[in-house]
Amino acid sequence: MSDLANLGLFFVVVFGVIVLPGLDMAFVMASALRGGNGAGLAAVGGIMLGGAVHVLMGVLGVAAVLAVWPPLFNAVLLAGALYIAWIGWSLLRTREGITLPAAGTAPRGRPVFLQGMLTCLLNPKAYVFMLAIFPQFLRPERGNLWAQAAALGLITVFTQAAVYGAVAVGALGAQRWLAGNPRAGLAGARAVGAVLVGAALLTVVQGWA
């Protein structure tokens, strides 16, 4: 297989993984619904940085260490699930619903950016990807591994930007409609919270199955 075909196949696999609903996508949606377009895109930026760190960790073999010591992997799994569940629970308890943020009241970009990065770093799906799929596209016979990893990393980050960016913009459109419907806004906020809690529970169940 040529280098170009190898990169094309990697893109198809990465796109298939990223487009499936998971913790990162749920966080982007929740951020956009609660803080508007800026917060949603800040969450996307944080997740992109987290994805780049995952690539670095994969090349350095940190992911392999997690596989060798299962308790550590399970600890990461539980931490990520609890973090997302906490966000979901806060939405389930809300009384304000989904409303457009007033000028100057939307969450600042930096905290959401950092939360997005943390969400990505604690996402067990990313570690499974780095363990099971990423190493298959690194071939020593094709030259410098760092150059190969850089190419794969760029594909990963830009695919995250495209998919999650679309989710953030779409969520904002839904937010504007819900803003004029208070009851629907409250139901929407709690529905997103339920999705986040459900995703966290499913992550734990799958991780220990």
Side-chain angles (χ1 to χ4, degrees), residues 51-172:
V53 173
H54 278 303
V55 172
L56 178 61
M57 292 172 66
V59 180
L60 294 176
V62 176
V65 174
L66 294 177
V68 172
W69 190 19
L72 180 56
F73 179 83
N74 287 340
V76 173
L77 177 76
L78 181 60
L82 288 176
Y83 181 67
I84 292 299
W86 176 77
I87 296 175
W89 179 247
S90 67
L91 282 173
L92 283 172
R93 298 180 60 191
T94 185
R95 296 180 179 273
E96 299 179 357
I98 298 172
T99 57
L100 284 170
T105 64
R108 298 174 59 184
R110 184 176 178 182
V112 178
F113 178 88
L114 295 176
Q115 289 174 9
M117 181 180 67
L118 181 61
T119 297
C120 184
L121 291 176
L122 294 178
N123 188 347
K125 184 172 73 172
Y127 290 96
V128 173
F129 176 82
M130 298 309 299
L131 285 168
I133 300 176
F134 187 79
Q136 300 179 28
F137 293 88
L138 292 175
R139 304 296 176 82
E141 66 273 14
R142 290 179 178 169
N144 191 293
L145 287 179
W146 286 103
Q148 295 182 50
L152 299 179
L154 287 174
I155 291 175
T156 301
V157 169
F158 282 111
T159 304
Q160 287 176 320
V163 174
Y164 295 145
V167 170
V169 173
L172 182 61

